[in-house]
Amino acid sequence: MKPYIVCHMMSAVDGRSLTDGWNLDYASDLYESTAATFKADGWICGRVTMQEISHGTDYPKRLASTPLPRTHYFARRDAEQYAISIDPRGLVAWKSNTALNSHVIEVVTKQVPDDFLAYLRSIEVSYVFGGELEIDLAAVVTLLAAELGVTRLIVEGGAHVSGAFVNTGLVDEVSVLILPLVDGRPGRPSSFEIAREAWKTPNYLKLASVEKTDHDGVWLRYTKI
């Protein structure tokens, strides 16, 4: 059974979502406090975001003496919360198996190097295979529900991962925290980015709530029609 999935984003009034240069000291805390209200079993981010969180640049090589089987590996099944990293090629160099007090689960393809898998095992980072060459998000979230009992997941970006979840019809609720600024820089990502060749159809939503937050933000919540 598929978990309930919330996509929680933060953006400027003009929809830009990359926060560098905004100079709003409260923004991160406001985003995290609103995200915490969902009480999710796990939070999901893409490779770029997770590389920023991991603070790692590379992992040791030549750890695998023999080919490793392409089977799921769960170092923990009892974590209070999971940090789920969508990392098809195995590029996030974790320093430990914990990110923001959550147990890390790498979602990779079967093409990742054996050394990467061996490294994850050495620091007890869990990993699951999302596909041969590409990640099947529907299969991944169903697997996490079946294996770990997760019932609620929150997708926290970046824009391409959020776009992929919406584009595949997996998102049950869209939550957008709008901050009181206009970015205006050209070429900046919006809350959701979908490649032109992958785009299927708009996702139509129903407004569930509108709330003014501290610091003149607006928190919009929509549910899937």
Side-chain angles (χ1 to χ4, degrees):
M1 185 176 178
K2 183 187 81 66
Y4 187 87
I5 297 177
V6 180
C7 196
H8 183 55
M9 302 297 292
M10 179 170 67
S11 76
V13 172
D14 56 358
R16 266 77 165 188
S17 62
L18 204 58
T19 62
D20 64 297
W22 286 6
N23 301 317
L24 298 175
D25 294 338
Y26 63 83
S28 179
D29 288 342
L30 184 59
Y31 176 79
E32 294 299 337
S33 65
T34 50
T37 65
F38 291 109
K39 300 185 184 303
D41 301 307
W43 48 277
I44 302 172
C45 290
R47 188 263 307 169
V48 174
T49 302
M50 287 305 200
Q51 281 183 311
E52 294 174 356
I53 293 172
S54 72
H55 301 296
T57 56
D58 203 0
Y59 61 90
K61 303 302 190 295
R62 294 185 290 277
L63 291 178
S65 57
T66 59
L68 292 177
R70 269 34 184 178
T71 53
H72 311 307
Y73 169 71
F74 294 99
R76 285 194 64 183
R77 292 178 177 268
D78 60 350
E80 291 188 9
Q81 194 171 60
Y82 297 95
I84 301 157
S85 171
I86 307 298
D87 185 19
R89 293 185 293 163
L91 298 176
V92 182
W94 296 100
K95 292 184 177 181
S96 76
N97 67 354
T98 303
L100 305 179
N101 299 315
S102 304
H103 177 67
V104 176
I105 301 177
E106 276 277 295
V107 180
V108 297
T109 65
K110 293 183 179 180
Q111 304 305 309
V112 295
D114 290 311
D115 279 340
F116 184 69
L117 300 180
Y119 176 65
L120 295 182
R121 283 177 173 265
S122 73
I123 59 172
E124 296 190 326
V125 168
S126 298
Y127 58 81
V128 299
F129 293 95
E132 189 71 35
L133 297 172
E134 297 181 352
I135 302 295
D136 182 338
L137 294 175
V140 168
V141 297
T142 301
L143 173 71
L144 294 176
E147 293 285 347
L148 301 176
V150 299
T151 60
R152 182 175 290 254
L153 294 170
I154 181 169
V155 180
E156 297 189 329
H160 293 286
V161 167
S162 297
F165 269 90
V166 168
N167 197 44
T168 53
L170 291 171
V171 175
D172 300 288
E173 182 175 340
V174 172
S175 167
V176 181
L177 181 63
I178 300 176
L179 300 183
L181 81 154
V182 175
D183 187 303
R185 286 173 286 183
R188 308 290 283 184
S190 64
S191 295
F192 302 91
E193 297 281 335
I194 303 170
R196 185 184 300 273
E197 64 275 10
W199 184 86
K200 297 177 181 178
T201 182
N203 272 240
Y204 299 98
L205 307 169
K206 179 180 180 180
L207 184 64
S209 66
V210 179
E211 179 182 335
K212 181 181 177 181
T213 70
D214 294 339
H215 307 285
D216 295 318
V218 178
W219 185 17
L220 303 175
R221 293 177 63 177
Y222 293 88
T223 54
K224 187 177 179 180
I225 295 177

